[in-house]
Amino acid sequence: MNEPSLATTPFQLSDTNQFFELSKDPDIRKEYPNMRFENIDEAKQYLEHQIEVTENSKISFFKAIRIVFGGLEPVYTEKNNILVGFISLKKSGAFDQMLAGGFEQTLSYAIKTKYRRKGLMTIALNMTLDAMRQDGYNVLAAIVKSQNSSSIKVLEKCGFTMVRDSHVSLLYVKRITMDEDEFNKVFGL
């Protein structure tokens, strides 16, 4: 039997039960109020919408972070994986765009409390960045609360640079394929 591995994959409707359980995590509920589902049907509707947005967008995505048993599979079930978190790139609302220095898309992610401080989020984000590099993304922005030291560490380990401190939140950016000199000039680095 293969050792467990970490994978970032598109969500599937078969993830609904695990996604609903993920949404019950107290830390995720605190950070993501839009994921405070009352029942599994609300979780399924949210997941269906995120899957549709991902399928119809050239930029946005909503990916599952999984611990996979027995090798990578085309379909993940509750028997061959544990859904431990998510990572997404989504269109920002007007307020978030202001915080993000005009970026229309911002990165967000979460991992269940019991899987934190194990390096899994750093691995998952690096996997996602590699895929984004292959897909030709130029630059990526992430907004993080200034008191969220764990998330700040993840971003910095993955090569993000803090470019704005609004005292409530911090704006981090990561050069992916953009010319380094142009990146430095644009962000005053």
Side-chain angles (χ1 to χ4, degrees), residues 51-120:
I51 291 169
E52 182 181 335
V53 167
T54 297
E55 289 173 351
N56 294 323
S57 173
K58 294 178 177 132
I59 300 172
S60 297
F61 59 78
F62 188 64
K63 292 184 177 183
I65 302 171
R66 310 171 187 277
I67 296 175
V68 181
F69 307 97
L72 300 179
E73 302 289 336
V75 175
Y76 297 96
T77 68
E78 292 180 22
K79 293 178 182 173
N80 68 4
N81 85 99
I82 300 170
L83 180 64
V84 297
F86 68 86
I87 189 163
S88 71
L89 183 66
K90 61 182 175 53
K91 186 165 179 58
S92 303
F95 182 70
D96 284 342
Q97 279 189 29
M98 180 191 69
L99 292 175
F103 279 90
E104 292 184 12
Q105 306 274 342
T106 54
L107 179 75
S108 62
Y109 50 82
I111 198 158
K112 282 184 178 178
T113 304
K114 78 182 221 177
Y115 295 100
R116 292 182 180 186
R117 302 194 193 294
K118 299 177 186 322
L120 298 177

Side-chain angles (χ1 to χ4, degrees), residues 71-175:
L72 300 179
E73 302 289 336
V75 175
Y76 297 96
T77 68
E78 292 180 22
K79 293 178 182 173
N80 68 4
N81 85 99
I82 300 170
L83 180 64
V84 297
F86 68 86
I87 189 163
S88 71
L89 183 66
K90 61 182 175 53
K91 186 165 179 58
S92 303
F95 182 70
D96 284 342
Q97 279 189 29
M98 180 191 69
L99 292 175
F103 279 90
E104 292 184 12
Q105 306 274 342
T106 54
L107 179 75
S108 62
Y109 50 82
I111 198 158
K112 282 184 178 178
T113 304
K114 78 182 221 177
Y115 295 100
R116 292 182 180 186
R117 302 194 193 294
K118 299 177 186 322
L120 298 177
M121 193 68 246
T122 301
I123 294 167
L125 181 51
N126 276 323
M127 292 167 68
T128 301
L129 291 169
D130 288 343
M132 293 177 81
R133 190 172 294 105
Q134 291 174 7
D135 290 342
Y137 285 80
N138 280 327
V139 66
L140 182 60
I143 303 168
V144 62
K145 292 179 181 170
S146 54
Q147 72 272 20
N148 191 342
S149 60
S150 295
S151 190
I152 290 167
K153 286 178 187 173
V154 167
L155 291 171
E156 289 176 350
K157 284 181 184 176
C158 293
F160 282 75
T161 303
M162 196 262 293
V163 294
R164 182 187 297 156
D165 180 349
S166 70
H167 301 292
V168 175
S169 65
L170 307 172
L171 173 61
Y172 276 79
V173 293
K174 165 82 175 165
R175 181 182 74 82

Side-chain angles (χ1 to χ4, degrees), residues 171-182:
L171 173 61
Y172 276 79
V173 293
K174 165 82 175 165
R175 181 182 74 82
I176 300 178
T177 61
M178 185 179 203
D179 177 77
E180 187 172 3
D181 290 335
E182 181 181 357

